[in-house]
Amino acid sequence: QSIGNAAVYGNLLLTAAGNKNAIVPFTTLGNFTLTNGTLTSIVSVTHSIGGNWLMSGGTFNNTNISIVMNGTANQTISSTGAFKNLTINKPSGMISLLSDMTVSTALNFISGKISIGNSNLTIGNSGSINNANATNYIIAVGNGTLNQQVLAGGSKVFPVGQSSAYTPATIALAAGSTTDIMSVRMLTA
């Protein structure tokens, strides 16, 4: 089954078995829900989500799919699948993670914040976080952590903070050390 016409949906629910091949970009003004079947695309597309991302089942084949979270209210992400490219472009509100989440290639900030709470946000080993700054960053208060690989002899910025304070951390490893996955979260006083 193909989604072959660019469309704007109120809410989009994928609940039946089988492949849903989204070969054109789509926009949801409300929630995107995946509970069964496979969302895939044979061409590169970018889908815009104005509500919540709710994935409790099925498969998200992200190879050619980029997602933009761009709602004007608070949004949530609950996902059993990884994102390839995720862009945060929120004119208002923030995104809250309700589950652990992986972004394999790029987490791009245009506008807005992500609150990870008690969930873990993992960036793929060759992935990156782009354009984070004092107004667009990851709120890492709670038991959840931001996880990124730091190469031996290299360094990585962890763009974290509290809701009203951006306090990024940089982790550097000496040459000859061991490449490892590092985890960062904020502690409250």
Side-chain angles (χ1 to χ4, degrees):
Q1 183 178 12
S2 289
I3 301 172
N5 294 318
V8 176
Y9 298 94
N11 293 307
L12 179 59
L13 289 83
L14 303 180
T15 59
N19 287 336
K20 282 66 173 176
N21 186 14
I23 58 176
V24 295
F26 64 74
T27 298
T28 67
L29 302 175
N31 297 337
F32 172 84
T33 303
L34 176 59
T35 60
N36 198 356
T38 300
L39 175 64
T40 189
S41 183
I42 59 173
V43 297
S44 292
V45 292
T46 299
H47 303 308
S48 298
I49 309 298
N52 301 319
W53 177 277
L54 306 168
M55 181 184 174
S56 61
T59 303
F60 176 38
N61 182 347
N62 66 20
T63 304
N64 293 317
I65 299 175
S66 296
I67 300 295
V68 176
M69 299 295 286
N70 63 354
T72 57
N74 289 334
Q75 293 177 270
T76 61
I77 295 176
S78 179
S79 188
T80 58
F83 294 87
K84 179 181 180 187
N85 296 308
L86 178 64
T87 298
I88 309 306
N89 188 13
K90 296 188 57 53
S92 61
M94 80 167 68
I95 293 176
S96 295
L97 297 188
L98 300 180
S99 66
D100 292 347
M101 182 176 80
T102 298
V103 178
S104 60
T105 303
L107 173 58
N108 300 304
F109 284 93
I110 295 173
S111 178
K113 297 179 180 118
I114 298 175
S115 175
I116 62 175
N118 292 321
S119 301
N120 296 320
L121 171 57
T122 301
I123 306 302
N125 289 348
S126 60
S128 63
I129 300 173
N130 306 310
N131 304 311
N133 57 44
T135 56
N136 308 311
Y137 58 90
I138 299 160
I139 300 170
V141 177
N143 292 322
T145 58
L146 170 60
N147 308 309
Q148 295 188 90
Q149 183 183 65
V150 180
L151 299 175
S155 66
K156 185 84 60 143
V157 174
F158 289 70
V160 297
Q162 297 180 348
S163 60
S164 61
Y166 179 54
T167 52
T170 300
I171 296 177
L173 296 179
S177 61
T178 302
T179 296
D180 205 351
I181 305 294
M182 301 294 175
S183 302
V184 170
R185 69 182 169 107
M186 301 294 299
L187 298 176
T188 56

